[in-house]
Amino acid sequence: MREIQCRLLVIGAGPGGYVCAIRAGQLGVDTVIVDAEPPGGTCLNVGCIPSKALIHAAEEFHRIAALSSTAAMGISAGPPTLDLAATMAWKDGIVSRLTGGVATLLRKAKVRLVAGTATIRDGKTVEVATPEGPVRIRAEVLVIATGSEPIEIPSLPFGGKVISSTGALALTEVPERLAVVGGGYIGLELGIAFAKLGASVTVVEAGPRILPQYDAELTGPVAQRLTRLGIRVLTGARAGGLSDSGALRVAGSDGAEEIAADKVLVTVGRRPRATGAGIDGLRLAMAGPFLKIDERCRTSMTGVLAIGDVTGEPMLAHRAMAQGEMVAELVAGQPRAWDKRAIPAVCFTDPEIVSVGLSPDELRSQGHEPLIGLFPFAANGRAMTADDETGFIRVTARPDTHEVLGIQAVGAGVAELAGGFALALEMGARLEDIAGTIHAHPTRGEALHEACLRALGHALHI
Ligand code: FAD
């Protein structure tokens, strides 16, 4: 068997693994990374990037379709046509550019990429099944970055008309009737996109409302938009299997119902790949379904680290990347530890939601009555000129020190504000710091300025 020796071996080339490998390579660490799929992991291949491409295309189609029935801003258009196969080909082109770009960056950093499926033999030895035959890799440090995969409902196994997010991102025709099981961010992002492309969409959510990880004030504008898009939302409803006629069986508070569907998209969460691939054999300590790590991403076995979705919530690409960068620097001997104050979460629904830090409810549950400032986009000039005044920016601060503890927003394009929100929390900003910062006019970001002024009791434009 061919053998490779290295200092650092990374299993999984998703955002966690590839960032770890690039940074380690930059720092002169002899690094090997293994993945059977093109580099980029879930995020680049079947997650963040292709879903956002589809969301964008759907929005363009929907906007033109709307202009064909009602002229807005003095613009009218003929009814648009859609070739979803061509849309998907455009999306695939973006994915290829990015995955090819990651491969180039790995090469530039002198990282060796081994294409194949890895099986861990012990904490320092991994065997990889490659198309050219098995390869044994011996490493001083092992990083597990195997990510996560969609959870299957036993009564609705993937196959046929039952699809995961990966299947939805590969459709070449818009299903006439789409049932989405699970009202979390992945289901809603895709459900909204397909509704805009013309599908009749029903969302089945077991909880009392959609997007349960966000508070009702934030999710309200999304719920209203779903209604306007004609998306039917069943909350407190559990999906069972398919009936003989292929309809989706749903048990809700109002009784049982069968929902006719051409495709059933199951998005009930993701499971960490924390078992299999020989990981079980290491008998690592677990934190629920995740690998247990400390503030330096060390597992319970010396020399074995873990990053990304396999290590816990929030299962987001930017958390994986930040862990990957930190671990590379630790392996290179730099003093690092996980000291982030905030991990932004963005929901690319219509309208978008951003949450950084604590919400008012979370603070209240910790026994603190926060200072809150909320500024609606209805009073923001840029939102008016963009013809979408839905939503707001909300800031939450400590009443005694005015330290900002959370910033949330819902509205068109607010995802782009996430970096600024996170910076404010990372820098330990007080309300006065943001209120004293000149925000460019006219921008949606001015709503953050005004939200802080409002929390201080002297908003100017409301
Ligand atoms: P992954 O990206 O899952 O990568 C793990 C890699 O390990 C995979 O490439 C896999 O092939 C490889 N691997 C596993 N086992 C082995 C083995 N035995 N041998 C070799 N290789 C192996 N996150 C965001 O932050 N923003 C978003 O907008 C967003 N949108 C999403 C939309 C969808 C539809 C989905 C499904 C996910 C989305 N996510 C989003 C989540 C994001 O994709 C993940 O949080 C992120 O990819 C996790 O990175 P990771 O490196 O931990 O693992």
Side-chain angles (χ1 to χ4, degrees), residues 294-297 319 322-323 326 336-340 343:
D294 67 6
E295 74 291 350
R296 290 185 172 80
C297 288
R319 171 177 173 271
Q323 289 178 322
M326 178 188 79
R336 288 290 313 270
W338 187 258
D339 58 356
K340 308 293 179 202
I343 303 172

Side-chain angles (χ1 to χ4, degrees), residues 36-69:
E37 305 297 329
T42 304
C43 177
L44 264 53
N45 288 291
V46 291
C48 327
I49 293 296
S51 63
K52 267 81 249 183
L54 182 70
I55 289 165
H56 176 73
E59 177 56 28
E60 295 287 291
F61 181 79
H62 180 67
R63 204 185 292 268
I64 299 169
L67 291 174
S68 68
S69 53

Side-chain angles (χ1 to χ4, degrees), residues 115-157:
T117 303
T119 305
I120 299 171
R121 295 297 175 211
D122 61 44
K124 302 214 176 298
T125 318
V126 168
E127 280 171 21
V128 185
T130 77
E132 295 79 35
V135 178
R136 184 176 294 127
I137 307 178
R138 294 188 196 278
E140 289 166 41
V141 180
L142 180 63
V143 172
I144 301 173
T146 45
S148 62
E149 57 200 9
I151 292 178
E152 216 170 29
I153 300 179
S155 58
L156 281 173

Side-chain angles (χ1 to χ4, degrees), residues 10-19 33-52 55 114-120 126-129 144-150 164-166 169 185-187 189-190 267 270 273 275-279 307-312 314-321 323 344-348:
V10 184
I11 303 180
Y18 85 71
V19 166
I33 188 165
V34 183
D35 204 312
E37 305 297 329
T42 304
C43 177
L44 264 53
N45 288 291
V46 291
C48 327
I49 293 296
S51 63
K52 267 81 249 183
I55 289 165
V114 176
T117 303
T119 305
I120 299 171
V126 168
E127 280 171 21
V128 185
I144 301 173
T146 45
S148 62
E149 57 200 9
S164 66
S165 55
T166 303
L169 289 166
Y185 86 94
I186 294 178
E189 286 184 6
L190 294 174
T267 50
R270 295 182 61 82
R273 288 199 197 95
T275 53
I279 299 174
I307 55 177
D309 283 8
V310 76
T311 63
M315 289 200 259
L316 292 171
H318 39 277
R319 171 177 173 271
M321 291 194 243
Q323 289 178 322
V346 177
C347 194
F348 291 83

